[in-house]
Amino acid sequence: MIPTLLRTRQKLGKYRLEGKLFEGPLASVYRAMDTIHQTRVALKIPHADSRDKEALEDFQKEVRIASRLEHYNVLPVQNASFINGHFVIATPLGKSTLAHRLERRLSIEKQLDLAGQALESVAYAHSRKVIHCDLKPENFILFEGDRLKLADFGFARKVYRTMKVSGSGTLGYIAPEQALGRLMFQSDVFSLGLILYRIFAGVLPEWPYSWPPKGYSRLKRSLNPRMIALIKKSIKLNPKERFVNAIEMHDEFVKARALMAGWSAKKNRRSENGVDDESQMHKRFREQFGAELNLEHNCRTCEGPVSGSMVACPWCGTDNPAKEADSGYKNHCSRCGRGSKPEWSYCAWCYGPGFELESTREYSDKRYVARCENDKCGKKIMRFMRYCPWCKTKVKKKWNIPGNKARCSKCGWGIAARFWQYCGWCGAKLKRKAG
């Protein structure tokens, strides 16, 4: 049967068309009335030039995939059949899309709710071994009560086979490896990371996604460091550095979201005390402790001031916060990435393997402030070293911060209790006194 041209009020079987909602490269979506059930539905119908055998197999595969996914955040397929020469996919009719919703103002609570639903839908798909391949705000359909449902499974592969990618401008929500034809679970993770950035920052980062992207200041005002770290990890250019899949990403989101209430309360208290600007707090911290702690780096997650000798970021708790950062040392430990000097035999920070000595000469350094406790060694060591870089004896001394008496209750090392949330030397969460 030769398909007829579609127009408003035309009937396709039991469906009466009421208008076009969206026109894509391979299909259009119409609003229609199911005249038997007297309910409105959305009908996805391929274009005339997309009805060849291969294209129809793609649409039928989409139906089979969606039919296997039964989840409240996944758009169900109500019916799929050939009607008057058209292949018609019927689904529930939503109010709008996430893309439309993001055009209006959202509270942080609503942003977190929508982000959580988006993650949950993709995490469920990944648990069923399904890679969506076309994650973007337009493919999340919004229903009453701001319930999101993910749509368009199995539809994007044909689009990306013909897509041309330029080296400038925006790639939309596509992962770099996906644009080159390599699809993996991490590709969906990348797209989700960009969607979350769009939700919380209000803008979409542009290629090459250097950190921090445009809109980062708004992101930093809205989210705690752990949530920011989640987004940053999700949009790493190297897929191996991202979350393995959306399941792992969703689990981390739940943990980060659980900390949002406490973080917001602390932020509000700082605001009431006139110290709302975090950058000013970091500035004061550098002024007071910069020389003693050698604060030459910024945390790779929250960008707070840290030293290369810290085990954890005192602001957000990130492990090895200055990892891979440039330092004033000529060499770096191959194990932990911290700085080392050419005359050292061992890493003073992680007890790493022996180094190949580049020099037998001992260079002077103003950072040497104490001596190794091993009587047979007795060579100079720096503050906050954990091991003697000459004889690998473990340093038993509990280091303090000059001019500051506060100490960590777990490791006993000095802390800047007025500023820190975590111990920079052992990573323990610092307890706050009531009042």
Side-chain angles (χ1 to χ4, degrees), residues 56-102:
L56 286 177
E57 286 179 353
D58 284 344
F59 284 109
Q60 291 173 24
K61 180 180 67 175
E62 175 186 354
V63 172
R64 290 193 292 270
I65 291 175
S67 297
R68 296 203 312 265
L69 302 177
E70 298 181 2
H71 191 273
Y72 51 84
N73 287 124
V74 174
L75 187 69
V77 172
Q78 294 177 331
N79 187 32
S81 60
F82 287 94
I83 305 176
N84 298 343
H86 297 278
F87 183 63
V88 180
I89 304 173
T91 63
L93 178 67
K95 297 193 318 180
S96 62
T97 67
L98 177 60
H100 290 136
R101 185 67 182 90
L102 293 179

Side-chain angles (χ1 to χ4, degrees), residues 3-214:
T4 58
L5 295 176
L6 298 176
R7 59 185 184 277
T8 302
R9 302 199 64 78
Q10 177 180 339
K11 287 196 67 176
L12 286 176
K14 65 175 181 176
Y15 303 111
R16 184 175 66 248
L17 302 184
E18 296 184 339
K20 184 181 291 187
L21 295 173
F22 172 77
E23 183 169 346
L26 300 179
S28 294
V29 179
Y30 296 84
R31 181 177 64 253
M33 171 64 76
D34 183 329
T35 57
I36 294 178
H37 294 92
Q38 288 297 302
T39 57
R40 285 186 167 79
V41 297
L43 301 181
K44 183 175 182 178
I45 304 174
H47 297 322
D49 57 355
S50 299
R51 297 195 188 103
D52 57 65
K53 183 178 180 180
E54 183 181 359
L56 286 177
E57 286 179 353
D58 284 344
F59 284 109
Q60 291 173 24
K61 180 180 67 175
E62 175 186 354
V63 172
R64 290 193 292 270
I65 291 175
S67 297
R68 296 203 312 265
L69 302 177
E70 298 181 2
H71 191 273
Y72 51 84
N73 287 124
V74 174
L75 187 69
V77 172
Q78 294 177 331
N79 187 32
S81 60
F82 287 94
I83 305 176
N84 298 343
H86 297 278
F87 183 63
V88 180
I89 304 173
T91 63
L93 178 67
K95 297 193 318 180
S96 62
T97 67
L98 177 60
H100 290 136
R101 185 67 182 90
L102 293 179
E103 294 174 358
R104 305 195 308 275
R105 185 178 179 86
L106 290 168
S107 66
I108 184 62
E109 291 78 13
K110 183 58 65 177
Q111 291 174 345
L112 289 166
D113 176 60
L114 294 175
Q117 291 188 65
L119 280 165
E120 192 164 342
S121 65
V122 185
Y124 172 75
H126 284 191
S127 73
R128 302 300 297 272
K129 309 301 181 186
V130 174
I131 305 174
H132 188 278
C133 309
D134 192 22
L135 294 175
K136 55 187 178 182
E138 290 80 1
N139 282 341
F140 287 93
I141 310 303
L142 200 64
F143 287 80
E144 288 293 335
D146 283 339
R147 170 66 65 188
L148 281 185
K149 293 184 182 293
L150 179 58
D152 276 352
F153 283 90
F155 176 51
R157 290 180 180 270
K158 187 175 181 66
V159 177
Y160 295 138
R161 277 203 298 267
T162 60
M163 179 170 289
K164 294 181 179 180
V165 179
S166 65
S168 61
T170 177
L171 294 177
Y173 296 87
I174 310 169
E177 73 280 356
Q178 181 176 341
L180 297 175
R182 295 191 298 118
L183 297 175
M184 56 188 72
F185 288 113
Q186 291 94 329
S187 303
D188 277 356
V189 167
F190 185 90
S191 300
L192 278 171
L194 291 181
I195 291 173
L196 262 60
Y197 197 96
R198 171 71 180 84
I199 290 175
F200 294 112
V203 295
L204 178 65
E206 294 184 348
W207 178 263
Y209 310 116
S210 57
W211 195 267
K214 180 181 178 181

Side-chain angles (χ1 to χ4, degrees), residues 134-432:
D134 192 22
L135 294 175
K136 55 187 178 182
E138 290 80 1
N139 282 341
F140 287 93
I141 310 303
L142 200 64
F143 287 80
E144 288 293 335
D146 283 339
R147 170 66 65 188
L148 281 185
K149 293 184 182 293
L150 179 58
D152 276 352
F153 283 90
F155 176 51
R157 290 180 180 270
K158 187 175 181 66
V159 177
Y160 295 138
R161 277 203 298 267
T162 60
M163 179 170 289
K164 294 181 179 180
V165 179
S166 65
S168 61
T170 177
L171 294 177
Y173 296 87
I174 310 169
E177 73 280 356
Q178 181 176 341
L180 297 175
R182 295 191 298 118
L183 297 175
M184 56 188 72
F185 288 113
Q186 291 94 329
S187 303
D188 277 356
V189 167
F190 185 90
S191 300
L192 278 171
L194 291 181
I195 291 173
L196 262 60
Y197 197 96
R198 171 71 180 84
I199 290 175
F200 294 112
V203 295
L204 178 65
E206 294 184 348
W207 178 263
Y209 310 116
S210 57
W211 195 267
K214 180 181 178 181
Y216 177 72
S217 59
R218 178 174 173 182
L219 195 77
K220 197 172 180 180
R221 289 194 302 269
S222 302
L223 301 178
N224 63 16
R226 188 162 182 172
M227 192 70 78
I228 293 175
L230 176 149
I231 296 175
K232 183 178 181 180
K233 181 176 180 178
S234 303
I235 61 175
K236 291 280 189 180
L237 294 183
N238 185 351
K240 294 181 180 179
E241 297 180 8
R242 302 174 204 153
F243 294 100
V244 174
N245 51 39
I247 303 170
E248 185 179 275
M249 184 179 178
H250 176 261
D251 290 345
E252 175 60 18
F253 177 86
V254 171
K255 296 174 183 176
R257 184 175 182 178
L259 300 174
M260 280 295 296
W263 176 82
S264 297
K266 292 174 185 175
K267 181 181 177 182
N268 291 336
R269 285 198 297 270
R270 289 200 304 268
S271 180
E272 292 171 359
N273 295 329
V275 290
D276 182 54
D277 191 344
E278 195 173 57
S279 63
Q280 291 298 317
M281 182 169 61
H282 290 168
K283 181 180 178 181
R284 290 197 300 275
F285 176 69
R286 283 188 184 277
E287 291 173 349
Q288 186 172 347
F289 297 106
E292 291 81 0
L293 297 180
N294 195 24
L295 300 173
E296 56 192 1
H297 306 299
N298 292 94
C299 173
R300 56 194 173 95
T301 296
C302 71
E303 299 188 355
V306 296
S307 69
S309 57
M310 288 179 175
V311 169
C313 173
W315 312 99
C316 69
T318 294
D319 178 62
N320 198 356
K323 185 178 181 180
E324 299 179 354
D326 292 332
S327 71
Y329 295 94
K330 292 183 178 181
N331 301 333
H332 288 85
C333 172
S334 59
R335 182 180 180 182
C336 70
R338 292 181 173 88
S340 65
K341 294 171 70 66
E343 67 268 30
W344 289 357
S345 300
Y346 302 91
C347 177
W349 321 110
C350 76
Y351 199 19
F355 300 144
E356 181 178 343
L357 291 180
E358 297 183 11
S359 174
T360 56
R361 175 186 171 187
E362 294 184 18
Y363 295 89
S364 61
D365 195 311
K366 64 180 181 180
R367 290 172 289 189
Y368 287 133
V369 295
R371 290 190 177 274
C372 174
E373 298 170 18
N374 180 358
D375 294 336
K376 295 181 180 180
C377 175
K379 291 190 176 182
K380 294 180 179 180
I381 59 176
M382 299 177 185
R383 184 176 282 116
F384 303 115
M385 279 185 169
R386 295 175 178 275
Y387 305 91
C388 173
W390 316 97
C391 71
K392 68 179 181 182
T393 298
K394 186 172 182 179
V395 177
K396 297 180 180 179
K397 178 179 180 179
K398 295 187 183 300
W399 295 105
N400 69 318
I401 300 176
N404 193 64
K405 296 181 179 180
R407 291 182 178 271
C408 172
S409 59
K410 181 177 181 181
C411 69
W413 285 26
I415 56 174
R418 178 185 172 192
F419 297 93
W420 291 3
Q421 303 296 320
Y422 299 84
C423 175
W425 318 118
C426 71
K429 186 77 169 66
L430 300 181
K431 296 180 180 179
R432 299 290 178 184

